[in-house]
Amino acid sequence: MVLRHAGRALRQAPGNALILPAKTIGAAGEQLFYSRALRRGYNVSIPIGDNSRYDCLIDTSTKIHRIQIKTASKQEGHSGRYGFSLKHGSVGHTYDGQDFDFFALVCLDVDVLYIVPMRELEGRTTAKVRRGVETRLEQYREAWSQL
């Protein structure tokens, strides 16, 4: 029997874990972020189409922030480390400071978010976080207060 998701056959990893399509993983990370923002009392607006450099607007009632959401579906091995691609477009351009205000880095399998100011990652092609280890980005774990 072939398992399908949204009409596509799913691949299986060793140990029979299913590998979801990248678009599905990204959508799940976005939905997790939206849900958490709404539960904190923020208004969330999502642009129509796929033409904006940001995934949503967060209205805190005092300011509106543009957010780009990146999702890692699982940690690399058992290290607690998650890697994120920070590129966009068909040729993999990096983002610049005019594109949006914050990255939301979502560790999907453990429901953890890092809310990182764009200036911290501007021009980079990747970012890594390691849960529970004092790294440069750990200060942004669940950092909703900066919005």
Side-chain angles (χ1 to χ4, degrees):
M1 176 173 108
V2 175
L3 296 173
R4 297 191 165 283
H5 175 76
R8 295 183 174 177
L10 293 175
R11 298 177 301 153
Q12 287 189 296
N16 290 329
L18 294 177
I19 300 172
L20 293 173
K23 282 282 212 189
T24 301
I25 292 166
E30 290 170 0
Q31 295 300 315
L32 176 64
F33 179 83
Y34 303 153
S35 172
R36 299 274 289 281
L38 289 167
R39 286 186 284 165
R40 281 170 174 71
Y42 300 136
N43 290 313
V44 178
S45 297
I46 303 167
I48 296 173
D50 207 14
N51 301 318
S52 298
R53 296 276 167 88
Y54 55 87
D55 291 313
C56 70
L57 299 173
I58 297 293
D59 182 347
T60 66
S61 78
T62 59
K63 188 161 182 170
I64 296 175
H65 300 284
R66 300 167 298 164
I67 311 291
Q68 173 56 236
I69 303 166
K70 297 296 185 180
T71 305
S73 61
K74 59 186 177 58
Q75 58 187 309
E76 299 169 349
H78 297 289
S79 64
R81 185 174 52 232
Y82 293 80
F84 300 88
S85 173
L86 305 181
K87 298 180 283 187
H88 67 91
S90 59
V91 293
H93 294 288
T94 60
Y95 295 101
D96 68 46
Q98 302 302 309
D99 293 334
F100 49 85
D101 307 307
F102 292 93
F103 277 104
L105 305 178
V106 179
C107 302
L108 193 58
D109 65 337
V110 290
D111 292 349
V112 172
L113 304 172
Y114 292 79
I115 302 171
V116 184
M118 172 55 169
R119 69 181 177 277
E120 289 288 331
L121 298 172
E122 185 173 0
R124 293 179 182 259
T125 59
T126 61
K128 293 196 182 287
V129 297
R130 190 164 183 187
R131 291 187 314 111
V133 176
E134 285 301 318
T135 63
R136 185 174 60 87
L137 297 180
E138 187 62 23
Q139 64 184 313
Y140 300 113
R141 182 178 179 167
E142 303 293 342
W144 292 93
S145 62
Q146 63 186 327
L147 297 181

